[in-house]
């Protein structure tokens, strides 16, 4: 992964860059291919983030892990979002790498800790030790290599075994620029079936062109933020009188 500014400096920025400021709930890749049907932040989250003198979330971090086969495009995806670059020279990740990206969501500072894990079998023991505590799991496959899709359930099963609370799950197809329209439609049909089986939200992106990458990470950040704030409200003893589908989905008492 490319060198980046200090993680602490990123987290302590006075505000996020314009592209990382979220006030409107980001849309999914397709409303057909997501288990998250809400169109906005829950009333409880908007109210608490806009109120003064009430519970205000502190420095918040959510952990995102990306899993998938070797050369599925995990590192390229992270580098495209975090560094706005793409390299066609493949270099396998050894163990794990991570980045931190700062967002301002409903004017509240929020950070994604993004973990890029190795897909090689010999590094699996190292990588799996970092699965614990993930709020979001992104299972990555190569749209131009259908075999990589068949391994997604196995990758997710291993990650879920390390997490007591169910994370938000994304199934992300990379290298969309390599497929013709007809070929993509065929793969999409198979991939969305897998996404439904996994309880995942489906996305197709291209790290080479950047198509869909920023939108994907904004969506990840917004969903992670919503769940994080609701959990903090419960921990602080603030009753959630206004419901949200995420309350039930991620074991948040009302």
């Amino acid at each position: 992964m490319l060198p980046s500014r200090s993680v602490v400096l990123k987290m302590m920025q006075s505000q996020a860059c314009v592209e990382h400021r979220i006030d409107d709930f980001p849309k999914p890749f397709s409303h057909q291919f997501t288990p998250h049907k809400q169109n906005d932040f829950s009333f409880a989250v908007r109210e608490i983030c806009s109120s003064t003198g009430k519970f205000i979330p502190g420095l918040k971090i959510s952990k995102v892990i990306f899993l998938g086969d070797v050369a599925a495009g995990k590192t390229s995806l992270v580098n495209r979002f975090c560094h706005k670059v793409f390299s066609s020279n493949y270099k396998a990740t050894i163990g794990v790498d991570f980045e931190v990206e700062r967002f301002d969501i409903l004017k509240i500072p929020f950070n994604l800790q993004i973990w890029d894990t190795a897909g090689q079998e010999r590094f699996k023991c190292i990588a799996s030790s970092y699965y614990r505590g993930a709020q979001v799991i992104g299972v990555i496959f190569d749209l131009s290599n259908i075999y990589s899709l068949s391994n997604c359930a196995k990758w997710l099963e291993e990650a879920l075994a390390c997490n007591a609370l169910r994370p938000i799950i994304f199934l992300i197809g990379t290298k969309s620029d390599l497929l013709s329209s007809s070929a993509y439609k065929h793969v999409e049909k198979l991939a969305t079936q897998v996404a439904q089986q996994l309880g995942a939200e489906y996305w197709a992106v291209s790290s080479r062109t950047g198509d869909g990458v920023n939108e994907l990470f904004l969506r990840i950040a917004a969903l992670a933020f919503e769940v994080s704030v609701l959990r903090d409200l419960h921990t602080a003893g603030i009753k959630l009188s206004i419901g949200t589908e995420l309350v039930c989905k991620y074991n948040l008492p009302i």
Side-chain angles (χ1 to χ4, degrees):
M1 197 168 291
L2 297 174
S4 62
R5 290 174 294 168
S6 162
V7 167
V8 174
L9 288 177
K10 280 191 174 185
M11 293 169 61
M12 299 306 294
Q13 294 176 79
S14 60
Q15 61 181 2
C17 64
V18 174
E19 294 84 357
H20 291 186
R21 299 175 196 170
I22 303 173
D23 291 308
D24 298 319
F25 202 68
K27 296 179 181 179
F29 179 76
S30 169
H31 288 286
Q32 289 181 278
F33 308 141
T34 177
H36 310 294
K37 301 302 183 183
Q38 67 193 95
N39 296 315
D40 195 5
F41 293 101
S42 66
F43 180 84
V45 169
R46 279 199 176 275
E47 182 181 43
I48 208 69
C49 290
S50 64
S51 299
T52 57
K54 294 186 178 180
F55 171 79
I56 300 296
L59 183 63
K60 301 193 65 56
I61 304 175
S62 281
K63 181 177 181 178
V64 182
I65 58 173
F66 287 125
L67 319 170
D69 284 0
V70 174
K74 300 181 293 296
T75 300
S76 292
L77 177 63
V78 175
N79 282 340
R80 167 57 75 176
F81 179 69
C82 296
H83 303 286
K84 314 301 181 191
V85 298
F86 173 81
S87 174
S88 57
N89 296 322
Y90 174 70
K91 184 178 180 181
T93 300
I94 299 175
V96 294
D97 279 320
F98 83 97
E99 299 276 357
V100 170
E101 285 297 320
R102 159 73 184 271
F103 297 81
D104 288 341
I105 305 180
L106 301 179
K107 298 181 173 58
I108 301 296
F110 183 69
N111 296 280
L112 284 185
Q113 189 183 72
I114 304 166
W115 292 82
D116 171 19
T117 65
Q120 293 173 294
E121 188 69 31
R122 62 191 172 122
F123 295 126
K124 187 171 288 187
C125 290
I126 299 174
S128 62
S129 65
Y130 292 91
Y131 292 174
R132 190 174 296 107
Q135 283 79 41
V136 180
I137 296 175
V139 187
I140 310 294
F141 73 99
D142 178 351
L143 286 161
S144 67
N145 176 9
I146 200 66
Y147 178 76
S148 65
L149 177 62
S150 66
N151 292 327
C152 288
K154 178 191 68 175
W155 284 108
L156 179 60
E157 181 181 5
E158 292 174 358
L160 290 178
C162 299
N163 288 277
L165 296 177
R166 182 174 177 82
I168 301 165
I169 302 168
F170 285 80
L171 179 65
I172 304 163
T174 62
K175 310 181 188 181
S176 61
D177 56 291
L178 298 182
L179 278 70
S180 66
S181 178
S182 58
Y184 172 74
K185 288 180 180 179
H186 172 68
V187 176
E188 182 186 69
K189 183 177 180 180
L190 298 174
T192 53
Q193 291 173 352
V194 172
Q196 186 174 24
Q197 293 167 4
L198 301 181
E201 179 168 305
Y202 169 76
W203 279 74
V205 301
S206 169
S207 298
R208 180 187 295 274
T209 66
D211 186 40
V213 173
N214 286 344
E215 293 85 350
L216 166 65
F217 278 91
L218 292 176
R219 177 75 173 174
I220 289 173
L223 285 171
F225 177 81
E226 170 103 342
V227 171
S228 179
V229 172
L230 290 172
R231 283 182 175 153
D232 280 356
L233 290 174
H234 172 66
T235 300
I238 298 175
K239 187 174 179 62
L240 302 178
S241 58
I242 305 297
T244 169
E245 65 173 88
L246 295 183
V247 170
C248 298
K249 188 183 293 290
Y250 298 103
N251 305 319
L252 305 177
I254 297 177

